[in-house]
Amino acid sequence: MVAQQDALLAQMRRGTLQYCVLSLLANEERYGFDLVRGLAEVDGMVTSEGTIYPLLSRLRRDGLVETTWQESPTGPPRRYYRLTAAGQAALEGFRLEWRRFRDAVDHFVERTAGS
Amino acid sequence: MKSTADKLVDDYLKRLNRELAGVPQARRIELVQEISEHIAEARAGLEGESEAEIRTLLDRLGDPAEIAAEARARFGVRPRQNNWLDIAALVLLLVGGLILPVIGWFVGVVLLWVSSAWTTGEKLIGTLVVPGGLVLPLGLVVAAASPPLTPILGAALAILLFLAPLLTVAFLAHRMRRGDVAPAV
């Protein structure tokens, strides 16, 4: 049972992680390190930081994010990620669906909590 | 001279590059590049450069095999399963020229280059070190039997030429990536 739950959690994380990344980029551009640390700060979102980069690479290939080089005040230039119009649209779509889904699950799971 | 920190980071990136075999080349280069940028940023924020600090940093990044499994999953690359073609490549590189002169070895080289089990550097080594596998040294041994070469020089040359292809193939066999990494769920 516990193993099953672990697998389910891993799958849920895997499926939603890209929207968490898109959300982090919704209002500001971020460079890779900053983005990864932002995700890793929230407990339970990522197990190891490096696994975010394949996702970023995929998002870029799918045209949901794009990158630009910008000067850094301290070191070499940084690769900044930002949402494209398609990324923005994907995020909006997910928000809608996610609220519906979350409410539906809550409807059953939360109603019986503590009873 | 390289510091311990540099060496640890270098080893990590090399392992990552090896583990990423099979991921499309452009993506592979990009991933290694971005993760090395990540490491550079993280190092810039460190107090010192102690071995322990670097190890913690690399631990947080995760096992290269895990990152590679994630990349394969994200790009829909199936984990490698049958590697008998890779083994055929090695056998043909070594003795293909004896079975079917030139062509046997050439087929081995083609198999080597279409395989995703080796990096480009490793493939170059496999191609360039004593082309023809064991054909050239065997040929020379025959030639040396009718001597203009002094016996000692001929023997030394033969041993060297035998060792080079054997060591190269052993090296490639060691570096060969097997398809036993399942993609992360």
Side-chain angles (χ1 to χ4, degrees):
Chain A
M1 186 58 209
V2 173
Q4 243 177 29
Q5 245 175 29
D6 282 355
L8 176 64
L9 276 174
Q11 269 177 29
M12 291 200 297
R13 201 184 284 133
R14 190 177 174 73
T16 48
L17 184 59
Q18 65 166 305
Y19 297 103
C20 297
V21 170
L22 295 181
S23 298
L24 277 175
L25 296 172
N27 298 317
E28 54 178 342
E29 302 179 15
R30 283 167 179 260
Y31 57 98
F33 181 76
D34 178 39
L35 193 55
V36 168
R37 284 283 152 99
L39 283 168
E41 265 169 22
V42 180
D43 189 36
M45 251 350 266
V46 282
T47 44
S48 52
E49 297 177 341
T51 53
I52 306 291
Y53 287 99
L55 170 61
L56 287 175
S57 180
R58 179 63 203 244
L59 290 176
R60 183 144 71 148
R61 197 193 77 173
D62 290 346
L64 300 184
V65 301
E66 59 192 6
T67 55
T68 50
W69 288 99
Q70 290 177 30
E71 291 302 319
S72 143
T74 52
R78 289 165 170 163
R79 197 195 302 256
Y80 273 77
Y81 287 84
R82 67 164 167 241
L83 280 192
T84 62
Q88 192 71 48
L91 180 58
E92 294 301 329
F94 179 77
R95 273 195 185 128
L96 226 63
E97 290 299 327
W98 175 252
R99 276 185 204 125
R100 276 229 296 262
F101 178 72
R102 184 189 59 198
D103 290 348
V105 175
D106 278 354
H107 176 73
F108 297 106
V109 175
E110 292 297 328
R111 194 176 52 174
T112 53
S115 67
Chain B
M1 214 183 75
K2 269 193 181 175
S3 65
T4 317
D6 287 334
K7 194 179 172 317
L8 282 173
V9 170
D10 268 9
D11 286 351
Y12 182 90
L13 291 173
K14 273 187 198 141
R15 253 194 74 208
L16 178 66
N17 187 43
R18 276 211 304 279
E19 294 284 353
L20 282 170
V23 173
Q25 186 73 359
R27 297 295 146 186
R28 182 174 173 173
I29 293 168
E30 182 182 280
L31 277 172
V32 174
Q33 178 62 34
E34 291 199 62
I35 287 180
S36 94
E37 286 164 20
H38 178 107
I39 294 173
E41 282 286 343
R43 281 177 78 174
L46 288 180
E47 296 284 319
E49 292 253 289
S50 76
E51 194 179 330
E53 277 177 304
I54 299 289
R55 282 193 196 278
T56 308
L57 188 164
L58 297 177
D59 277 353
R60 284 183 72 166
L61 263 176
D63 187 342
E66 192 188 343
I67 298 174
E70 177 74 17
R72 274 193 285 272
R74 292 280 177 198
F75 287 100
V77 179
R78 284 222 329 270
R80 301 163 39 70
Q81 271 154 5
N82 293 326
N83 60 357
W84 64 268
L85 275 177
D86 300 334
I87 293 165
L90 293 184
V91 172
L92 287 174
L93 277 179
L94 199 58
V95 296
L98 302 178
I99 302 167
L100 204 65
V102 184
I103 296 168
W105 173 78
F106 187 73
V107 172
V109 171
V110 171
L111 288 179
L112 177 74
W113 281 88
V114 298
S115 169
S116 58
W118 294 284
T119 62
T120 307
E122 288 159 5
K123 288 172 181 177
L124 273 176
I125 291 173
T127 310
L128 295 181
V129 176
V130 190
L134 289 174
V135 172
L136 187 63
L138 280 183
L140 278 178
V141 167
V142 173
S146 50
L149 278 168
T150 67
I152 293 171
L153 193 69
L157 195 66
I159 289 167
L160 198 72
L161 286 173
F162 269 109
L163 277 181
L166 285 175
L167 285 178
T168 305
V169 167
F171 166 75
L172 289 176
H174 171 68
R175 286 301 185 86
M176 182 161 63
R177 272 155 299 268
R178 293 158 195 90
D180 53 6
V181 187
V185 194

